[in-house]
Amino acid sequence: MGKKWVMALTGIALIGFVLVHMVGNLHLYEGAWETHEYAETLRDLGTKVIPRTWVLWALRAGLAAAFALHLHSAYSLTRMSRAADRRYAGGRDYIAANYASRTMRWTGPLVGLFVVYHLADLTWGHFNPDYVRGDPYHNVVASLSNLPVAIWYIVANVALAVHIYHGAWSIFQSLGVSSPRWNPLRRRLAGTFAAAVLVGNLSFPILVQAGVIDDGGRSVVRERLEQADRTGEALAPPEGAP
């Protein structure tokens, strides 16, 4: 039961992050400068009290801990489940299990690999030859303009949505809060939430490929930084930016 509680609580934290991350990424539709300002706002959290980026790094550390605990609980529960299977000659009966729950063991590792790739691609720039530090809009466009990368993002986000659907559905059951009366509502809420995250996340690679999100191969933010460095003036938004 303890492992299920850890799984559920860390799942809530990670699902919350996925939603906030997706909503934050909607700044891509506003443009390069607005996306840059959003990223800078995250780095400036709490700066009236503590040094810059400390809050952001604390949040990252908390998410990393939640992710590690979630993986450990999933691995432990999987081993316990397999041990239980061996006690029955015919194995388990999965007739009552839905597609999402049966694929959790596959979508979980796939999402884990995607997280590592996503960080290396858009946070560290290891897989992005056109990476520009501090310009998330340009980095997203440069990365997702590559068709194989866009396809990988789509596949991984479909797996994430399936994982979220089952996770959101089973969280309250894992916490011991479950009633047949509310099960249909829980299922609809889980489906709606997973669908919203899926549509939002899939829109980015699809619209970059369609040319709706585009920067013409140039980093507006880098240009502004270089101009500010040459003139010694404070960094200002480009003409036309709100």
Side-chain angles (χ1 to χ4, degrees):
M1 287 302 296
K3 294 182 187 300
K4 287 188 175 182
W5 269 75
V6 171
M7 189 85 163
L9 294 176
T10 55
I12 291 173
L14 294 171
I15 285 175
F17 166 74
V18 167
L19 177 62
V20 172
H21 184 61
M22 185 272 289
V23 172
N25 284 340
L26 294 177
H27 285 284
L28 290 166
Y29 294 119
E30 295 183 285
W33 188 258
E34 291 77 12
T35 305
H36 168 73
E37 286 188 324
Y38 168 67
E40 288 299 300
T41 298
L42 294 179
R43 297 185 182 98
D44 288 336
L45 289 174
T47 49
K48 291 185 178 180
V49 180
I50 58 178
R52 190 173 187 264
T53 74
W54 280 28
V55 170
L56 181 59
W57 277 106
L59 292 172
R60 286 170 172 169
L63 283 169
F67 189 70
L69 288 170
H70 198 74
L71 287 177
H72 181 266
S73 298
Y75 176 72
S76 299
L77 289 169
T78 298
R79 290 190 62 185
M80 292 169 64
S81 176
R82 288 175 177 171
D85 285 345
R86 288 194 290 270
R87 296 193 185 103
Y88 302 94
R92 285 188 171 190
D93 181 6
Y94 285 104
I95 294 177
N98 59 31
Y99 179 79
S101 64
R102 295 201 306 271
T103 57
M104 286 293 278
R105 295 176 185 175
W106 299 103
T107 58
L110 185 58
V111 170
L113 289 173
F114 172 68
V115 168
V116 174
Y117 180 87
H118 185 62
L119 290 170
D121 181 28
L122 295 179
T123 300
W124 304 321
H126 297 328
F127 298 144
N128 191 342
D130 294 321
Y131 180 82
V132 176
R133 184 176 178 82
D135 192 351
Y137 183 92
H138 171 79
N139 295 335
V140 168
V141 173
S143 178
L144 297 183
S145 294
N146 187 331
L147 183 58
V149 173
I151 292 173
W152 164 229
Y153 269 73
I154 290 171
V155 170
N157 275 290
V158 170
L160 174 64
V162 174
H163 200 81
I164 285 176
Y165 170 70
H166 177 66
W169 155 254
S170 63
I171 279 174
F172 290 103
Q173 186 173 0
S174 297
L175 295 175
V177 183
S178 179
S179 169
R181 178 182 177 184
W182 299 107
N183 283 348
L185 177 61
R186 287 169 51 206
R187 192 176 296 278
R188 285 195 295 271
L189 288 175
T192 301
F193 183 85
V197 170
L198 178 64
V199 171
N201 283 340
L202 289 190
S203 71
F204 307 126
I206 291 173
L207 294 184
V208 168
Q209 284 291 318
V212 176
I213 300 175
D214 186 23
D215 65 354
R218 52 188 275 271
S219 170
V220 174
V221 172
R222 178 166 56 187
E223 290 175 2
R224 298 302 297 170
L225 289 170
E226 290 174 350
Q227 179 182 347
D229 186 57
R230 287 194 306 270
T231 62
E233 297 175 354
L235 184 63
E239 249 181 79

